[in-house]
Amino acid sequence: MMTAGPLNLLTDIEGVAVGHATDLALGSGVTAIVFDEPAIASGSVLGGAPGGRDTALLDPSMTVQAVDAFVLSGGSAFGLDAAGGVQAGLREIGRGFQVGSVRVPIVPQAILMDLLNGGDKDWGLHSPYREMGYEAFRAAGAGPFALGTVGAGTGATTATFKGGIGSASARTSAGHSVAALMAVNAMGSATVGDGPHFWAAPYEQDGEFGGLGLPEKFTEGHSALRMKGVNLKATTIGVIVTDAALTKAQAHRLSIMAHDGLARAVLPAHLPGDGDTIFSAATGARPLGDMTAFAELCHLATLVTARAVARGIYEATALPVPNAQAAWRDKFSSPAK
């Protein structure tokens, strides 16, 4: 039986801090995931239109093993400035990979496309994302953090309802913790047909996204293609983190399993216009044990990612701009009877 952590958030992993920078008028934002100590890290990109910074170093064959932080941001390619702000904050406190006499903070980043959501993107010569990255770093802390229309999920949308930040956690039978944080901006839909039900419903814990279950009957229309549009770019980005001691190759496998969760929560996922990217990290606080323990960790990585995606939609609210995409809560404010 799957059991969520006490917060049911990424910060159920000890040594992980999360901070948001949110600009509702801009219709965009930044989320920083900061590790108390460098964490073994990897990641995988399965979407057809990704955008990222320092993602190549996450390949298991590359030299650097650990990262200081991850950054998720709106702004499409403009948003890649955000990692510089987080890097500046880490440099202030003396963090980073030692290179001779200097330290270089290792901060991989993924971005999502939110430039067409109605927010005011007329920011002048330089984008605001570097400053927002620094703000998100300064806001990062352990404990509870906001979900929905915040941080990198501020301007997120999907084919059917407003997207947003979601998170979920679980514990294995051996006592390891695993948790996901997702910024859901999918080209496809996290809900079944035109109704309130979530594709991730079979994995829901304690009514975390409404407790509606699945529809009593499935029709051909439920699985019909629903997309934002042919020429739009989208992207769901996120992180999966565990307190288990993993190798970089095992962390890479964990990220792939998390993509399985994305595919269970969004239909369709990994489209040519999506840039779906999931980072992975292991703090190493608990020895892993045998391969059975790792297999269970991988299994739960799939499930917490699916749950986090659904929570991102469930917790979102519409942007305060004209013609903003409606949120799930605008149409389905109470559980179906």
Side-chain angles (χ1 to χ4, degrees), residues 190-315:
T191 49
V192 181
D194 297 320
H197 306 276
F198 290 93
W199 288 112
Y203 321 116
E204 184 175 10
Q205 297 292 299
D206 301 320
E208 61 195 345
F209 41 89
L212 303 178
L214 289 169
E216 291 184 9
K217 292 184 178 181
F218 278 88
T219 68
E220 185 176 344
H222 283 147
S223 58
L225 179 62
R226 288 172 171 81
M227 292 197 311
K228 290 178 182 176
V230 175
N231 295 319
L232 299 180
K233 305 300 180 188
T235 297
T236 296
I237 54 178
V239 301
I240 183 85
V241 182
T242 180
D243 61 359
L246 301 184
T247 65
K248 192 175 183 183
Q250 287 172 322
H252 183 245
R253 177 55 51 184
L254 202 69
S255 73
I256 294 172
M257 298 300 294
H259 274 286
D260 288 350
L262 173 58
R264 282 162 172 77
V266 172
L267 185 71
H270 307 129
L271 285 164
D274 282 314
D276 299 334
T277 299
I278 300 181
F279 298 136
S280 55
T283 65
R286 295 176 59 88
L288 177 60
D290 59 17
M291 283 301 296
T292 300
F294 183 52
E296 184 183 3
L297 196 66
C298 288
H299 172 63
L300 290 182
T302 296
L303 303 190
V304 296
T305 302
R307 291 165 50 209
V309 168
R311 289 192 83 191
I313 306 300
Y314 179 74
E315 297 288 350

Side-chain angles (χ1 to χ4, degrees), residues 61-241:
S61 66
M62 299 302 176
T63 301
V64 173
Q65 299 290 302
V67 303
D68 297 293
F70 289 131
V71 180
L72 309 177
S73 175
S76 190
F78 299 105
L80 292 172
D81 290 343
V86 175
Q87 199 172 44
L90 287 162
R91 185 170 182 267
E92 273 189 322
I93 61 174
R95 290 283 301 275
F97 182 75
Q98 192 76 45
V99 183
S101 62
V102 301
R103 287 186 176 272
V104 181
I106 306 300
V107 187
Q109 178 184 358
I111 49 90
L112 56 81
M113 169 63 175
D114 60 3
L115 299 178
L116 303 176
N117 59 18
D120 181 7
K121 306 302 192 294
D122 187 17
W123 53 59
L125 180 60
H126 297 291
S127 89
Y129 289 98
R130 185 178 66 176
E131 287 70 27
M132 294 178 77
Y134 183 71
E135 179 185 343
F137 170 80
R138 293 297 300 269
F145 58 87
L147 301 179
T149 304
V150 293
T154 300
T157 57
T158 73
T160 50
F161 298 111
K162 176 73 176 67
I165 290 283
S167 190
S169 69
R171 287 178 175 168
T172 71
S173 58
H176 298 104
S177 294
V178 61
L181 183 153
M182 303 297 293
V184 188
N185 185 57
M187 180 84 69
S189 174
T191 49
V192 181
D194 297 320
H197 306 276
F198 290 93
W199 288 112
Y203 321 116
E204 184 175 10
Q205 297 292 299
D206 301 320
E208 61 195 345
F209 41 89
L212 303 178
L214 289 169
E216 291 184 9
K217 292 184 178 181
F218 278 88
T219 68
E220 185 176 344
H222 283 147
S223 58
L225 179 62
R226 288 172 171 81
M227 292 197 311
K228 290 178 182 176
V230 175
N231 295 319
L232 299 180
K233 305 300 180 188
T235 297
T236 296
I237 54 178
V239 301
I240 183 85
V241 182

